[in-house]
Amino acid sequence: MSIRPQKPAPATPAPGKVPMTELAEMKARHQPIVMVTAYDAPGGRLADQGGADLVLVGDSAAMTVLGHDSTVPATMEEMLVLTRAVTRGAVRPLVVADMPFGSFQVSDEDAVRNAIRFVKEAGADAVKIEGAGPMLSRVRAIVGAGIPVMGHVGLTPQSATMLGGYKAQGRSAAKAITLLHDARALEAAGCFALVLEAIPAAVAGRATRELTIPTIGIGAGIDCDGQVLVWHDMLGLYDGRAARFVKRYAEIGDTIRDALAAYADDVRDRRFPEEQHTYSMPDEELALFEAAASEHPEHAEDRR
Ligand code: KIV
């Protein structure tokens, strides 16, 4: 049974939860930080049992579980439902809710209001927002409200159109310097950690050495303080073309498809359910039932 309180109070870490300060200490000890996405309670529980330090309820959910072509359509209400489920399953890891497109871009007030919803209504420990520049004031405002913020630079999928598609960022000296400035600015604004997505390993390594907050890489090389992968990508559950940075650790999609096909065969060939899956009743009760069912069949007809 979960030891996590049913309604975690914001700013009160649940028993057994990784303390937020531990992440900076892990960076100082050069102990890699493990983050993975999850979108439901079993996912949160399995990520916890698998040893994740951080679970990200990514807006990648729009693609992986909701069937959209990009992360942009994810809504606050959808992300709240998914985050609530994950926080019920993940006890030890910190749960980071990804703020969906439109929930933080308009104003600091909107950003704070929506970040509070993730903490208060869904039990998130922190939120993640994409981008720097105008988003720095959002980070300051949310952190000012007492909610930890994870930054995200490099390939930021919510602005993929502006970035020219889903492709690696920071591959020229000028773009790499902009990225480094953004990373420094996000640290200064108060982020507790920073996702670096699809950028050259050398640039990520430089940012990692310079920053005091941990960097969490996805397609950013081995020198980051931690790594994150998307659940469906790493477990073989997503049909789309995998990015270069994805490593498949299992082919769960194939396992599920085979299991469903075996079930369908069993049902069609009447091999399922078997005796062990079936309820019986005492012989005398069955005899009484049969007798009662055979009485006055015309009344049974009336009752139909
Ligand atoms: O939405 C997501 O899953 C993410 C990760 C790729 C970092 O932002």
Side-chain angles (χ1 to χ4, degrees), residues 35-39 56-62 64 71 79 98 128 130 150-152 155-158 195-197 216-218 228-231 233 245:
M35 179 158 100
V36 66
T37 70
Y39 313 101
L56 172 68
V57 189
D59 64 352
S60 48
T64 55
T71 61
M79 292 302 295
D98 213 358
K128 175 169 86 59
E130 291 188 8
M150 175 178 275
H152 183 164
L155 172 53
T156 44
Q158 292 176 8
V195 170
L196 301 175
E197 179 164 353
I216 311 288
I218 175 161
V228 56
L229 278 178
V230 168
W231 182 273
D233 289 343
F245 52 71

Side-chain angles (χ1 to χ4, degrees), residues 3 6 34 38 44-45 73 87 103 131 133 172 176 226 232 270 275 278 290:
I3 51 166
Q6 287 303 296
V34 180
R45 179 173 44 81
T87 59
S103 69
S172 68
H232 288 59
R270 296 197 182 280
E275 190 71 30
T278 306
E290 293 290 3

Side-chain angles (χ1 to χ4, degrees), residues 26-44:
M26 289 173 80
K27 175 178 175 109
R29 289 198 299 269
H30 301 291
Q31 182 183 341
I33 298 167
V34 180
M35 179 158 100
V36 66
T37 70
Y39 313 101
D40 56 18

Side-chain angles (χ1 to χ4, degrees), residues 24 51 114 197 251 258:
N114 285 321
E197 179 164 353
E251 294 296 342
D258 291 349

